[in-house]
Structures are given as C-alpha cells and as structure tokens.
Coordinates of all heavy atoms in Angstrom, one line a residue:
M1378 N 0.8 -1.2 0.0 CA 0.0 0.0 0.0 C 0.9 1.3 0.0 O 0.5 2.3 -0.5 CB -0.9 0.0 1.2 CG -2.0 0.9 1.2 SD -3.2 0.5 -0.1 CE -4.6 1.4 0.5
D1379 N 2.1 1.2 0.6 CA 2.9 2.4 0.6 C 3.4 2.8 -0.8 O 3.5 3.9 -1.1 CB 4.1 2.1 1.5 CG 4.9 0.9 1.2 OD1 4.4 0.0 0.4 OD2 6.0 0.8 1.7
R1380 N 3.5 1.8 -1.7 CA 3.8 2.1 -3.1 C 2.8 2.9 -3.7 O 3.0 3.7 -4.6 CB 4.1 0.9 -3.9 CG 5.4 0.2 -3.5 CD 5.7 -1.0 -4.4 NE 6.9 -1.6 -4.0 CZ 7.3 -2.7 -4.6 NH1 6.6 -3.2 -5.6 NH2 8.4 -3.3 -4.2
M1381 N 1.5 2.7 -3.4 CA 0.4 3.4 -4.0 C 0.5 4.9 -3.7 O 0.2 5.8 -4.6 CB -0.9 2.9 -3.5 CG -2.1 3.3 -4.3 SD -2.0 2.7 -6.0 CE -2.3 4.1 -6.9
F1382 N 1.0 5.3 -2.5 CA 1.1 6.7 -2.2 C 2.3 7.3 -3.0 O 2.3 8.5 -3.4 CB 1.3 6.9 -0.7 CG 0.0 7.0 0.0 CD1 -0.6 5.9 0.5 CD2 -0.6 8.2 0.2 CE1 -1.8 5.9 1.2 CE2 -1.8 8.3 0.9 CZ -2.4 7.2 1.4
R1383 N 3.3 6.5 -3.3 CA 4.4 7.0 -4.1 C 3.9 7.2 -5.6 O 4.3 8.1 -6.3 CB 5.6 6.0 -4.1 CG 6.4 6.2 -2.7 CD 7.5 5.3 -2.7 NE 7.2 4.2 -1.8 CZ 7.9 3.1 -1.6 NH1 8.9 2.9 -2.3 NH2 7.5 2.2 -0.7
V1384 N 3.0 6.3 -6.0 CA 2.5 6.4 -7.3 C 1.6 7.7 -7.4 O 1.6 8.5 -8.4 CB 1.6 5.2 -7.7 CG1 0.8 5.4 -9.0 CG2 2.5 4.0 -7.9
L1385 N 0.8 8.0 -6.4 CA 0.0 9.2 -6.3 C 1.0 10.4 -6.3 O 0.7 11.4 -7.0 CB -0.8 9.2 -5.0 CG -2.1 8.3 -5.0 CD1 -2.7 8.3 -3.6 CD2 -3.1 8.8 -6.0
G1386 N 2.1 10.3 -5.6 CA 3.1 11.4 -5.7 C 3.6 11.6 -7.1 O 3.8 12.8 -7.5
F1387 N 3.9 10.5 -7.8 CA 4.3 10.7 -9.2 C 3.3 11.4 -10.1 O 3.7 12.3 -10.8 CB 4.7 9.3 -9.8 CG 4.9 9.3 -11.2 CD1 6.1 9.8 -11.7 CD2 4.0 8.9 -12.1 CE1 6.4 9.8 -13.1 CE2 4.2 8.9 -13.5 CZ 5.4 9.4 -14.0
F1388 N 2.0 11.0 -9.9 CA 1.0 11.6 -10.8 C 0.8 13.0 -10.4 O 0.5 13.9 -11.3 CB -0.3 10.8 -10.8 CG -0.2 9.5 -11.6 CD1 -0.3 8.3 -11.1 CD2 -0.1 9.6 -13.0 CE1 -0.2 7.1 -11.9 CE2 0.0 8.5 -13.8 CZ 0.0 7.3 -13.2
T1389 N 0.8 13.3 -9.1 CA 0.6 14.7 -8.7 C 1.8 15.6 -9.2 O 1.6 16.7 -9.5 CB 0.4 14.9 -7.2 OG1 1.4 14.3 -6.5 CG2 -1.0 14.3 -6.8
L1390 N 3.0 15.0 -9.2 CA 4.1 15.7 -9.7 C 4.0 16.0 -11.2 O 4.3 17.1 -11.7 CB 5.4 14.9 -9.5 CG 6.7 15.5 -10.1 CD1 7.0 16.8 -9.4 CD2 7.9 14.5 -9.9
A1391 N 3.5 15.0 -12.0 CA 3.3 15.2 -13.4 C 2.3 16.3 -13.6 O 2.5 17.1 -14.5 CB 2.8 13.9 -14.0
I1392 N 1.2 16.3 -12.9 CA 0.1 17.3 -13.0 C 0.7 18.7 -12.7 O 0.5 19.7 -13.3 CB -1.1 17.0 -12.2 CG1 -1.8 15.7 -12.8 CG2 -2.1 18.1 -12.2 CD1 -2.9 15.1 -11.9
G1393 N 1.5 18.7 -11.6 CA 2.1 20.0 -11.2 C 3.0 20.5 -12.2 O 3.1 21.7 -12.5
L1394 N 3.8 19.7 -12.8 CA 4.8 20.1 -13.9 C 4.0 20.7 -15.1 O 4.4 21.7 -15.7 CB 5.7 19.0 -14.2 CG 6.8 18.6 -13.2 CD1 7.5 17.4 -13.6 CD2 7.7 19.8 -13.0
M1395 N 2.9 20.0 -15.5 CA 2.1 20.4 -16.6 C 1.5 21.8 -16.3 O 1.4 22.7 -17.1 CB 1.1 19.4 -17.0 CG 1.7 18.2 -17.7 SD 0.4 17.0 -18.3 CE -0.1 16.3 -16.8
A1396 N 1.0 21.9 -15.0 CA 0.4 23.2 -14.7 C 1.4 24.3 -14.7 O 1.1 25.4 -15.1 CB -0.3 23.1 -13.3
F1397 N 2.6 24.0 -14.2 CA 3.7 25.0 -14.2 C 4.1 25.4 -15.6 O 4.3 26.6 -15.9 CB 4.9 24.5 -13.4 CG 5.9 25.5 -13.1 CD1 5.7 26.5 -12.2 CD2 7.2 25.5 -13.8 CE1 6.6 27.5 -11.9 CE2 8.1 26.4 -13.5 CZ 7.9 27.4 -12.6
A1398 N 4.1 24.4 -16.5 CA 4.5 24.7 -17.9 C 3.3 25.6 -18.5 O 3.6 26.3 -19.4 CB 4.7 23.4 -18.7
G1399 N 2.1 25.4 -18.1 CA 1.0 26.1 -18.6 C 0.8 27.5 -18.0 O -0.2 28.2 -18.3
G1400 N 1.6 27.9 -17.1 CA 1.5 29.2 -16.5 C 0.5 29.2 -15.3 O 0.2 30.3 -14.8
L1401 N 0.1 28.1 -14.8 CA -0.8 28.1 -13.6 C 0.0 27.8 -12.3 O 0.0 26.7 -11.8 CB -1.9 26.9 -13.8 CG -2.7 27.0 -15.1 CD1 -3.5 25.8 -15.3 CD2 -3.6 28.2 -15.0
T1402 N 0.6 28.9 -11.9 CA 1.6 28.8 -10.8 C 1.0 28.3 -9.5 O 1.5 27.5 -8.8 CB 2.3 30.1 -10.6 OG1 2.8 30.6 -11.9 CG2 3.5 30.0 -9.6
E1403 N -0.2 28.9 -9.2 CA -0.9 28.5 -7.9 C -1.3 27.0 -7.9 O -1.1 26.3 -6.9 CB -2.1 29.4 -7.6 CG -1.8 30.8 -7.4 CD -1.7 31.6 -8.7 OE1 -1.9 31.1 -9.8 OE2 -1.3 32.8 -8.6
M1404 N -1.8 26.6 -9.0 CA -2.2 25.2 -9.1 C -1.0 24.3 -9.0 O -1.0 23.2 -8.4 CB -2.9 24.9 -10.4 CG -3.3 23.5 -10.7 SD -4.2 23.3 -12.2 CE -4.1 21.6 -12.5
A1405 N 0.1 24.7 -9.7 CA 1.4 23.9 -9.7 C 1.9 23.8 -8.2 O 2.3 22.7 -7.8 CB 2.4 24.5 -10.6
L1406 N 1.9 24.9 -7.5 CA 2.4 24.8 -6.1 C 1.5 23.9 -5.3 O 2.0 23.2 -4.4 CB 2.4 26.2 -5.5 CG 3.5 27.1 -6.1 CD1 3.3 28.5 -5.5 CD2 4.9 26.6 -5.9
L1407 N 0.2 23.9 -5.5 CA -0.7 23.1 -4.7 C -0.4 21.6 -5.0 O -0.3 20.8 -4.1 CB -2.2 23.4 -5.1 CG -3.2 22.5 -4.4 CD1 -3.2 22.8 -2.9 CD2 -4.6 22.8 -5.0
F1408 N -0.1 21.3 -6.3 CA 0.2 19.9 -6.6 C 1.6 19.5 -6.2 O 1.8 18.3 -5.8 CB 0.0 19.7 -8.1 CG -1.5 19.3 -8.4 CD1 -2.4 20.3 -8.7 CD2 -1.9 18.0 -8.5 CE1 -3.7 20.0 -9.0 CE2 -3.2 17.7 -8.8 CZ -4.1 18.7 -9.0
F1409 N 2.5 20.4 -6.1 CA 3.8 20.1 -5.6 C 3.8 19.8 -4.1 O 4.5 18.9 -3.6 CB 4.8 21.2 -5.9 CG 5.2 21.4 -7.3 CD1 5.5 22.6 -7.8 CD2 5.2 20.3 -8.2 CE1 5.8 22.8 -9.2 CE2 5.5 20.5 -9.5 CZ 5.8 21.7 -10.0
L1410 N 2.9 20.5 -3.4 CA 2.7 20.2 -1.9 C 2.1 18.8 -1.8 O 2.5 18.1 -0.9 CB 1.9 21.3 -1.3 CG 2.5 22.7 -1.1 CD1 1.5 23.7 -0.6 CD2 3.7 22.5 -0.1
Q1411 N 1.1 18.5 -2.6 CA 0.5 17.2 -2.5 C 1.6 16.1 -2.9 O 1.5 15.0 -2.3 CB -0.7 17.1 -3.5 CG -1.8 17.9 -3.1 CD -3.0 17.7 -4.0 OE1 -3.4 16.6 -4.3 NE2 -3.5 18.8 -4.5
T1412 N 2.4 16.4 -3.8 CA 3.5 15.4 -4.2 C 4.4 15.2 -2.9 O 4.7 14.0 -2.6 CB 4.3 16.0 -5.3 OG1 3.5 16.2 -6.4 CG2 5.5 15.0 -5.6
A1413 N 4.8 16.2 -2.3 CA 5.7 16.0 -1.1 C 4.9 15.2 0.0 O 5.5 14.3 0.6 CB 6.1 17.4 -0.5
F1414 N 3.6 15.5 0.2 CA 2.8 14.8 1.2 C 2.7 13.4 0.9 O 3.0 12.5 1.7 CB 1.4 15.5 1.2 CG 0.4 14.8 2.1 CD1 0.5 14.9 3.4 CD2 -0.6 14.1 1.5 CE1 -0.4 14.2 4.3 CE2 -1.6 13.4 2.3 CZ -1.4 13.5 3.7
F1415 N 2.4 13.0 -0.4 CA 2.3 11.6 -0.8 C 3.6 10.8 -0.7 O 3.6 9.7 -0.3 CB 1.7 11.5 -2.2 CG 0.2 11.8 -2.2 CD1 -0.3 12.5 -3.3 CD2 -0.7 11.3 -1.2 CE1 -1.7 12.8 -3.3 CE2 -2.0 11.6 -1.3 CZ -2.5 12.4 -2.3
V1416 N 4.7 11.5 -1.2 CA 6.0 10.8 -1.1 C 6.4 10.5 0.3 O 6.9 9.4 0.6 CB 7.0 11.6 -1.9 CG1 8.4 11.0 -1.7 CG2 6.6 11.6 -3.4
I1417 N 6.2 11.5 1.2 CA 6.6 11.3 2.6 C 5.8 10.2 3.2 O 6.3 9.3 3.9 CB 6.5 12.6 3.4 CG1 7.6 13.6 2.9 CG2 6.5 12.4 4.9 CD1 7.4 15.0 3.4
L1418 N 4.5 10.2 2.9 CA 3.6 9.1 3.5 C 4.0 7.8 2.9 O 3.9 6.8 3.6 CB 2.2 9.4 3.2 CG 1.4 10.4 4.0 CD1 0.0 10.6 3.6 CD2 1.5 10.0 5.5
G1419 N 4.5 7.7 1.6 CA 4.8 6.5 1.0 C 6.0 5.8 1.7 O 6.2 4.6 1.5
Y1420 N 6.9 6.6 2.3 CA 8.1 6.0 3.0 C 7.9 5.8 4.5 O 8.9 5.5 5.1 CB 9.3 6.9 2.7 CG 9.8 6.7 1.3 CD1 9.5 7.7 0.3 CD2 10.5 5.6 0.9 CE1 10.0 7.5 -1.0 CE2 10.9 5.4 -0.4 CZ 10.6 6.4 -1.4 OH 11.1 6.2 -2.7
M1421 N 6.7 6.0 5.0 CA 6.6 5.9 6.5 C 6.3 4.5 7.0 O 6.3 4.3 8.2 CB 5.5 6.9 6.9 CG 5.9 8.3 6.8 SD 4.8 9.5 7.5 CE 5.7 10.1 8.9
K1422 N 6.0 3.6 6.1 CA 5.8 2.2 6.5 C 4.6 2.0 7.5 O 4.8 1.4 8.6 CB 7.0 1.6 7.1 CG 8.2 1.6 6.1 CD 8.0 0.7 4.9 CE 9.2 0.7 4.1 NZ 9.0 0.2 2.8
F1423 N 3.5 2.7 7.3 CA 2.3 2.5 8.1 C 1.7 1.1 7.8 O 2.0 0.5 6.8 CB 1.3 3.6 7.9 CG 1.7 4.9 8.4 CD1 1.6 6.0 7.6 CD2 2.1 5.1 9.7 CE1 1.9 7.3 8.1 CE2 2.5 6.3 10.2 CZ 2.4 7.4 9.4
T1424 N 0.7 0.7 8.6 CA -0.1 -0.5 8.2 C -1.1 -0.1 7.1 O -1.4 1.0 6.8 CB -0.9 -0.9 9.5 OG1 -1.8 0.0 9.8 CG2 0.0 -1.3 10.6
E1425 N -1.6 -1.2 6.5 CA -2.5 -0.9 5.4 C -3.8 -0.2 5.8 O -4.3 0.7 5.1 CB -2.9 -2.3 4.8 CG -3.8 -2.1 3.5 CD -4.0 -3.5 2.8 OE1 -3.3 -4.4 3.1 OE2 -4.9 -3.5 1.9
K1426 N -4.3 -0.5 7.0 CA -5.5 0.2 7.6 C -5.2 1.7 7.7 O -6.0 2.5 7.4 CB -5.9 -0.4 8.9 CG -7.1 0.2 9.5 CD -7.6 -0.5 10.8 CE -8.8 0.1 11.3 NZ -9.3 -0.5 12.5
T1427 N -4.0 2.0 8.2 CA -3.7 3.4 8.4 C -3.6 4.2 7.1 O -4.1 5.3 6.9 CB -2.3 3.5 9.1 OG1 -2.4 2.8 10.3 CG2 -2.0 5.0 9.4
Y1428 N -3.0 3.5 6.0 CA -3.0 4.1 4.7 C -4.4 4.3 4.2 O -4.7 5.4 3.5 CB -2.2 3.2 3.8 CG -0.7 3.4 3.9 CD1 0.1 2.4 4.2 CD2 -0.1 4.7 3.7 CE1 1.5 2.6 4.3 CE2 1.2 4.9 3.7 CZ 2.0 3.8 4.1 OH 3.4 4.0 4.2
V1429 N -5.3 3.4 4.4 CA -6.7 3.5 3.9 C -7.4 4.7 4.6 O -8.0 5.5 4.0 CB -7.4 2.2 4.0 CG1 -8.9 2.4 3.8 CG2 -6.9 1.1 3.1
L1430 N -7.2 4.8 5.9 CA -7.8 5.9 6.7 C -7.2 7.2 6.2 O -7.9 8.2 6.1 CB -7.6 5.6 8.2 CG -8.4 4.5 8.8 CD1 -8.0 4.3 10.2 CD2 -9.9 4.8 8.7
L1431 N -5.9 7.3 6.0 CA -5.3 8.5 5.5 C -5.8 8.9 4.2 O -6.1 10.1 3.9 CB -3.8 8.4 5.5 CG -3.0 8.4 6.8 CD1 -1.6 8.0 6.6 CD2 -3.1 9.8 7.4
F1432 N -6.0 7.9 3.3 CA -6.6 8.2 2.0 C -8.0 8.7 2.1 O -8.4 9.7 1.4 CB -6.5 7.0 1.1 CG -6.9 7.3 -0.3 CD1 -6.1 8.1 -1.2 CD2 -8.1 6.8 -0.8 CE1 -6.5 8.3 -2.5 CE2 -8.5 7.1 -2.1 CZ -7.7 7.8 -2.9
W1433 N -8.8 8.1 2.9 CA -10.2 8.6 3.1 C -10.2 10.0 3.7 O -11.0 10.9 3.2 CB -11.0 7.7 4.1 CG -11.6 6.6 3.4 CD1 -11.2 5.3 3.2 CD2 -12.9 6.6 2.7 NE1 -12.1 4.6 2.5 CE2 -13.1 5.3 2.1 CE3 -13.8 7.6 2.4 CZ2 -14.3 5.1 1.4 CZ3 -15.0 7.3 1.7 CH2 -15.2 6.1 1.2
A1434 N -9.3 10.3 4.6 CA -9.3 11.7 5.2 C -8.9 12.7 4.1 O -9.4 13.8 4.0 CB -8.3 11.7 6.3
Y1435 N -7.9 12.3 3.3 CA -7.5 13.1 2.2 C -8.6 13.4 1.2 O -8.8 14.5 0.8 CB -6.3 12.5 1.4 CG -5.9 13.2 0.1 CD1 -5.3 14.4 0.1 CD2 -6.3 12.6 -1.1 CE1 -5.0 15.0 -1.1 CE2 -6.0 13.2 -2.3 CZ -5.3 14.4 -2.3 OH -5.1 15.1 -3.4
M1436 N -9.3 12.4 0.8 CA -10.4 12.5 -0.1 C -11.6 13.4 0.4 O -12.1 14.2 -0.3 CB -11.0 11.1 -0.5 CG -10.0 10.3 -1.3 SD -9.4 11.1 -2.8 CE -10.7 11.0 -3.9
I1437 N -11.9 13.2 1.7 CA -13.0 14.0 2.3 C -12.5 15.5 2.4 O -13.3 16.4 2.0 CB -13.3 13.5 3.7 CG1 -14.0 12.2 3.6 CG2 -14.1 14.5 4.5 CD1 -14.2 11.4 4.9
L1438 N -11.3 15.7 2.8 CA -10.8 17.1 2.8 C -10.7 17.7 1.4 O -11.1 18.9 1.2 CB -9.4 17.1 3.4 CG -8.7 18.5 3.6 CD1 -9.4 19.3 4.6 CD2 -7.3 18.3 4.0
T1439 N -10.3 17.0 0.4 CA -10.2 17.5 -0.9 C -11.5 17.8 -1.5 O -11.8 18.9 -2.1 CB -9.4 16.5 -1.8 OG1 -8.1 16.3 -1.3 CG2 -9.3 17.0 -3.2
F1440 N -12.5 16.9 -1.4 CA -13.8 17.1 -2.0 C -14.6 18.2 -1.2 O -15.3 19.0 -1.8 CB -14.6 15.8 -2.0 CG -14.1 14.8 -3.0 CD1 -14.1 13.5 -2.7 CD2 -13.7 15.2 -4.2 CE1 -13.7 12.6 -3.6 CE2 -13.2 14.3 -5.2 CZ -13.2 13.0 -4.9
T1441 N -14.4 18.3 0.1 CA -15.0 19.4 0.8 C -14.4 20.8 0.4 O -15.2 21.7 0.1 CB -14.8 19.2 2.3 OG1 -15.3 17.9 2.7 CG2 -15.5 20.3 3.1
G1442 N -13.1 20.8 0.3 CA -12.5 22.1 -0.2 C -12.9 22.4 -1.6 O -13.1 23.6 -1.9
F1443 N -12.9 21.5 -2.5 CA -13.3 21.7 -3.9 C -14.7 22.2 -4.0 O -15.0 23.1 -4.7 CB -13.1 20.4 -4.7 CG -13.5 20.6 -6.1 CD1 -12.6 21.3 -7.0 CD2 -14.6 20.1 -6.6 CE1 -13.0 21.4 -8.3 CE2 -15.0 20.3 -7.9 CZ -14.2 20.9 -8.8
S1444 N -15.6 21.5 -3.2 CA -17.0 21.9 -3.2 C -17.2 23.3 -2.7 O -18.0 24.1 -3.2 CB -17.9 20.9 -2.4 OG -17.8 19.6 -3.0
Y1445 N -16.5 23.6 -1.6 CA -16.6 25.0 -1.0 C -16.2 26.0 -2.0 O -16.8 27.0 -2.2 CB -15.8 25.1 0.3 CG -15.6 26.5 0.8 CD1 -16.6 27.1 1.5 CD2 -14.5 27.2 0.5 CE1 -16.5 28.4 1.9 CE2 -14.3 28.5 0.9 CZ -15.3 29.1 1.6 OH -15.2 30.4 2.0
W1446 N -15.0 25.8 -2.6 CA -14.4 26.7 -3.6 C -15.4 26.9 -4.8 O -15.6 28.1 -5.2 CB -13.1 26.3 -4.0 CG -12.4 27.3 -4.9 CD1 -12.3 27.4 -6.2 CD2 -11.7 28.5 -4.4 NE1 -11.7 28.5 -6.6 CE2 -11.3 29.2 -5.5 CE3 -11.4 29.0 -3.1 CZ2 -10.5 30.4 -5.4 CZ3 -10.7 30.1 -3.0 CH2 -10.3 30.8 -4.2
T1447 N -15.9 25.9 -5.3 CA -16.7 26.0 -6.6 C -18.0 26.6 -6.3 O -18.6 27.3 -7.1 CB -16.9 24.7 -7.2 OG1 -17.5 23.7 -6.3 CG2 -15.6 24.1 -7.8
I1448 N -18.6 26.4 -5.1 CA -19.9 27.0 -4.8 C -19.8 28.4 -4.2 O -20.5 29.3 -4.7 CB -20.7 26.1 -3.8 CG1 -21.0 24.7 -4.5 CG2 -22.0 26.7 -3.3 CD1 -21.5 23.7 -3.5
F1449 N -19.0 28.6 -3.2 CA -18.9 29.9 -2.5 C -18.0 30.9 -3.1 O -18.2 32.1 -3.0 CB -18.7 29.7 -1.0 CG -19.8 28.9 -0.4 CD1 -19.6 27.6 0.1 CD2 -21.1 29.4 -0.2 CE1 -20.6 26.9 0.7 CE2 -22.1 28.7 0.4 CZ -21.8 27.4 0.8
Q1450 N -16.8 30.4 -3.6 CA -15.9 31.4 -4.2 C -16.1 31.7 -5.6 O -15.9 32.8 -6.0 CB -14.4 30.8 -3.9 CG -14.1 30.7 -2.5 CD -14.1 31.9 -1.7 OE1 -13.6 33.0 -2.2 NE2 -14.5 31.9 -0.5
M1451 N -16.4 30.7 -6.4 CA -16.6 30.9 -7.8 C -18.1 31.4 -8.1 O -18.3 32.1 -9.1 CB -16.3 29.6 -8.6 CG -14.9 29.3 -8.6 SD -14.6 27.7 -9.5 CE -15.1 28.1 -11.1
G1452 N -19.0 30.9 -7.3 CA -20.4 31.3 -7.5 C -21.1 30.4 -8.5 O -20.4 29.8 -9.3
L1453 N -22.3 30.2 -8.3 CA -23.1 29.4 -9.2 C -23.6 30.2 -10.4 O -24.2 31.3 -10.2 CB -24.3 28.8 -8.5 CG -23.9 27.8 -7.4 CD1 -25.2 27.3 -6.6 CD2 -23.3 26.6 -7.9
P1454 N -23.5 29.7 -11.6 CA -24.0 30.5 -12.8 C -25.5 30.4 -12.8 O -26.1 29.4 -12.5 CB -23.4 29.7 -14.0 CG -23.1 28.4 -13.5 CD -22.8 28.5 -12.0
L1455 N -26.1 31.5 -13.0 CA -27.6 31.6 -13.1 C -28.1 31.8 -14.5 O -27.5 32.4 -15.3 CB -28.1 32.7 -12.2 CG -27.7 32.5 -10.7 CD1 -28.2 33.7 -9.9 CD2 -28.4 31.3 -10.2

C-alpha cells in the first residue's frame, strides 16, 4: 500500500509540472505540496489500515475544499 502513495506522488508531480508549464503557478504549487505529502507518506511504513484511513481523510478534505471553492468562491451560474 505504501507504493500506492508513491504512485500518487508521481502523478501529482506530473500534473504539477504540466500546470507550471501552462502558467498556472498557484495550481502547480498546490500539486507540488501534494506530491511532497504523498511521497513522505509512502516511505513511512504504516499499516494498510492506516494508509486507507489517511486516503479517506485526504479525499474528504479534498472534496469538501473543492465543493466549497466552486460553490462559494466561484459562485453558481444563473
């Protein structure tokens, strides 16, 4: 399971590099932070249950933040 977090780190790094190349600096920095987070977690040797719980916590936090941003900061089109 620890390898999966390293794979997530690789993909977030790829997305961050593409965002940086496209001039989306804020998005690139966000994905670089996620890359560091995933790679560090990938080398911590937690149990499989801990990794699953960390992934669920990450997904809840991400979807809550994304929903908040799209509804309250961007506004709903009328």
